Amino acid sequence: HVTQQTGLYTSARWRVADALSVLTGVRVTNGHRHNDNFNTAGVYLNKTAVQDETNRITPFVGAVYDITPTVSAYTSYTRIFNPQNYKDRNNEPLSPVVGSNAEVGLKTDLFDRRLQAHFAVFQTVQDNYGVRDSAILTPLPDGSFPYTAVDGTQAEGFEMEISGKVNASWRISAGLTNAKVTRAAT
């Protein structure tokens, strides 16, 4: 299995008011993958399962509003493009996962910026999401089990994190994420 991927990402932060920044960005992804097949003597036979992605664009936009010098509210939206390594029951690669993610949250600095905390709610929607194909009980030729692509996978929930300096050498953090994932039937 051969996978090659290159990406170029650029972003900018625009200060549109004293307390408001807008963030924009874009990633351009190019990728290629294929399987090289060999016989039992190790002689190359052919190339199969070729998949090419050219100039796939995934944009990002966000905003940060400084409520106080130590508390900020933010929101963001991004498109998702994520190649996956699963194969279907015909031993063909699944198409990349595509979708979007939206998030809204608060960030704060406490105790002279020695402690940071954040809380956010999010929603992620994805198509082509790979899940194990439970209808097929025998493995593929490479020993893996087949997957199937599911549209309409949705995750929503919240996350929170707190981190800070214990002393000049130590920093600790703790976080919690709670998500409910639903998906269309396979």
Side-chain angles (χ1 to χ4, degrees), residues 33 35 48-51 85-95 140 147:
R33 62 190 239 170
N35 291 335
T48 60
V50 176
Q51 188 179 47
N85 289 322
Y86 301 125
K87 297 178 200 167
D88 66 15
R89 61 179 63 185
N90 299 315
N91 206 28
E92 295 292 324
L94 293 184
S95 296
L140 296 170
Y147 278 65

Side-chain angles (χ1 to χ4, degrees), residues 26-168:
V26 66
R27 177 182 168 90
V28 179
T29 303
N30 291 299
H32 170 83
R33 62 190 239 170
H34 69 268
N35 291 335
D36 286 332
N37 299 304
F38 299 86
N39 67 15
T40 56
V43 176
Y44 176 80
L45 296 174
N46 59 6
K47 184 185 298 187
T48 60
V50 176
Q51 188 179 47
D52 287 304
E53 299 292 342
T54 305
N55 296 328
R56 294 298 301 249
I57 296 174
T58 48
F60 166 86
V61 65
V64 178
Y65 183 77
D66 298 329
I67 299 168
T68 72
T70 60
V71 177
S72 299
Y74 71 93
T75 186
S76 67
Y77 174 85
T78 188
R79 297 291 302 159
I80 295 170
F81 174 78
N82 189 20
Q84 49 190 339
N85 289 322
Y86 301 125
K87 297 178 200 167
D88 66 15
R89 61 179 63 185
N90 299 315
N91 206 28
E92 295 292 324
L94 293 184
S95 296
V97 175
V98 293
S100 64
N101 183 72
E103 185 171 324
V104 176
L106 290 171
K107 292 184 177 186
T108 185
D109 288 317
L110 304 165
F111 307 115
D112 267 342
R113 301 191 187 277
R114 290 190 313 268
L115 183 69
Q116 293 81 38
H118 103 269
F119 175 83
V121 294
F122 61 88
Q123 180 182 51
T124 304
V125 178
Q126 299 176 101
D127 289 333
N128 298 332
Y129 190 83
V131 297
R132 173 79 167 74
D133 189 342
S134 59
I136 307 297
L137 302 177
T138 56
L140 296 170
D142 67 0
S144 67
F145 284 90
Y147 278 65
T148 186
V150 175
D151 289 343
T153 300
Q154 183 170 311
E156 48 190 39
F158 70 88
E159 63 184 10
M160 58 183 144
E161 181 179 18
I162 189 165
S163 64
K165 287 183 177 181
V166 174
N167 59 37

